[in-house]
Amino acid sequence: MTDKVLICGSIAFDTIAVFEGHFKDHILSNGIQSLSVSFFVPTLRKDYGGCAGNIAYNLRLLGGNPVPVGTVGADAADYIAYMQGLGIDTSMVRMLPDMYTPQCFITTDLDNNQIASFHPGAMERSADNDLTGCEAAWGIVAPDAKDGMFAHAGRLKAQAIPFVFDLGQAMPLFNGEDLNQMLELADIFTANDYEASVVEQRTGRSMQEIAGTLRAVVVTRGAEGATLYADGTETHIDAVTAEQVVDPTGCGDAHRAGLLYGLTKNWSLADSCRLANVMGSLKIASKGPQNHRPTRGDINAVLNDNFGLSLP
């Protein structure tokens, strides 16, 4: 039986610049109507990112078999080669030569305020990347273009491949009706506590009620751990203390990778969530979504120390 995981979502570049000052000293409230500012940014970092890319990276750290499903531009040859070098199957990464890879440009000041711009590029055609015929034990529909998320969800459902619906940064795109349609297709729903509260408001249903129609709902709560709603019960999943808190970018994606790995190994939902918390704690200790380098032994040690569990 296959252990592949189809990871549908964005594959993007994150360009992060640091302004060694404070935006508030340069953006005046009485001048917003004619804003024109420039920031000198001596520190610049370009990271491989995107939800599908980040989840695939973390799942590979665990020894899993991720298959990212995403669309990129001709400028992503190095990203594809990088994934292949990690042993990631890139057969479902489609390169569109007439478009750019999705890119997020972020400038951060010394107060950790951010000014960001996002270019969707090839992501706008993600729905055309048809995964029909792909075999997988599990899938995930992570943030992407809205029509792409619906297309991937429908194709996974049609092939009876169970999947996780990860709303994440796509939250502004989905109204209550959209969310209910996606939840009818999904097996597991994941969100952070803020996203969960918005979903409750937009659908008129609590997380417990939503979980009653799914295999499970998982709500992450940062340093407070996570909550698993399944089988009519609510289970608290303890947090894992990170060695240091450096950058939360990509922590949700690392969490999803741990959850998916446990699911492919037929672990209980609770234990899968515990591994997910471990992965989030390891990611937050480094800058960028794919710059942490724990070995499988390192991951196993944290998992065992915190929960008495071991990787297979």
Side-chain angles (χ1 to χ4, degrees):
M1 182 177 177
T2 184
D3 64 346
K4 290 183 178 180
V5 179
L6 292 170
I7 303 174
C8 309
S10 61
I11 299 172
F13 293 118
D14 295 332
T15 300
I16 303 170
V18 178
F19 169 55
E20 296 179 350
H22 306 272
F23 293 147
K24 64 184 180 182
D25 296 332
H26 299 266
I27 301 176
L28 305 179
S29 58
N30 59 1
I32 292 295
Q33 69 277 6
S34 57
L35 183 65
S36 177
V37 294
S38 177
F39 301 105
F40 179 69
V41 289
T43 302
L44 183 71
R45 189 178 79 247
K46 185 174 182 178
D47 287 330
Y48 296 126
C51 295
N54 296 341
I55 296 170
Y57 174 81
N58 284 279
L59 187 54
R60 192 61 189 149
L61 287 177
L62 284 161
N65 193 357
V67 182
V69 181
T71 45
V72 298
D75 54 339
D78 60 329
Y79 197 165
I80 293 174
Y82 160 79
M83 287 193 284
Q84 291 171 342
L86 295 172
I88 294 173
D89 180 349
T90 60
S91 61
M92 287 304 298
V93 177
R94 296 287 182 261
M95 181 181 285
L96 306 179
D98 59 333
M99 304 190 82
Y100 286 110
T101 298
Q103 301 185 46
C104 188
F105 301 90
I106 303 169
T107 302
T108 302
D109 73 358
L110 294 181
D111 290 328
N112 286 321
N113 296 308
Q114 292 186 335
I115 297 174
S117 300
F118 182 73
H119 173 66
M123 193 177 80
E124 292 186 315
R125 288 166 55 186
S126 62
D128 298 337
N129 193 6
D130 192 348
L131 55 77
T132 301
C134 295
E135 293 185 356
W138 272 87
I140 183 169
V141 176
D144 201 343
K146 180 180 176 181
D147 58 347
M149 295 177 73
F150 270 111
H152 296 322
R155 291 161 184 161
L156 289 167
K157 185 70 172 182
Q159 297 181 131
I161 298 173
F163 73 92
V164 175
F165 171 36
D166 177 15
L167 181 59
Q169 301 97 319
M171 183 180 64
L173 305 177
F174 287 77
N175 60 28
E177 182 180 351
D178 296 329
L179 289 166
N180 283 325
Q181 289 179 16
M182 284 292 290
L183 291 167
E184 288 177 1
L185 298 171
D187 293 80
I188 294 175
F189 173 60
T190 60
N192 63 31
D193 47 2
Y194 174 72
E195 294 158 0
S197 66
V198 173
V199 170
E200 289 180 327
Q201 182 183 43
R202 291 181 184 173
T203 63
R205 295 190 287 162
S206 68
M207 287 297 106
Q208 293 92 333
E209 290 171 322
I210 291 173
T213 66
L214 301 172
R215 187 177 303 192
V217 168
V218 180
V219 178
T220 59
R221 304 187 185 281
E224 296 179 7
T227 305
L228 168 65
Y229 302 90
D231 300 321
T233 62
E234 180 179 329
T235 304
H236 173 72
I237 308 297
D238 288 338
V240 176
T241 302
E243 288 188 359
Q244 55 182 338
V245 177
V246 175
D247 179 11
T249 306
C251 282
D253 298 326
H255 186 276
R256 309 307 180 242
L259 174 65
L260 287 162
Y261 183 82
L263 293 171
T264 62
K265 299 305 177 184
N266 296 315
W267 284 16
S268 70
L269 285 164
D271 284 347
S272 297
C273 290
R274 292 179 179 110
L275 176 58
N277 281 3
V278 167
M279 296 303 293
S281 75
L282 292 170
K283 207 282 3 132
I284 203 170
S286 68
K287 287 185 177 181
Q290 296 182 35
N291 295 321
H292 50 303
R293 301 283 189 272
T295 66
R296 199 165 183 273
D298 294 333
I299 298 169
N300 190 66
V302 177
L303 180 65
N304 190 264
D305 288 346
N306 282 271
F307 300 114
L309 300 171
S310 298
L311 295 174

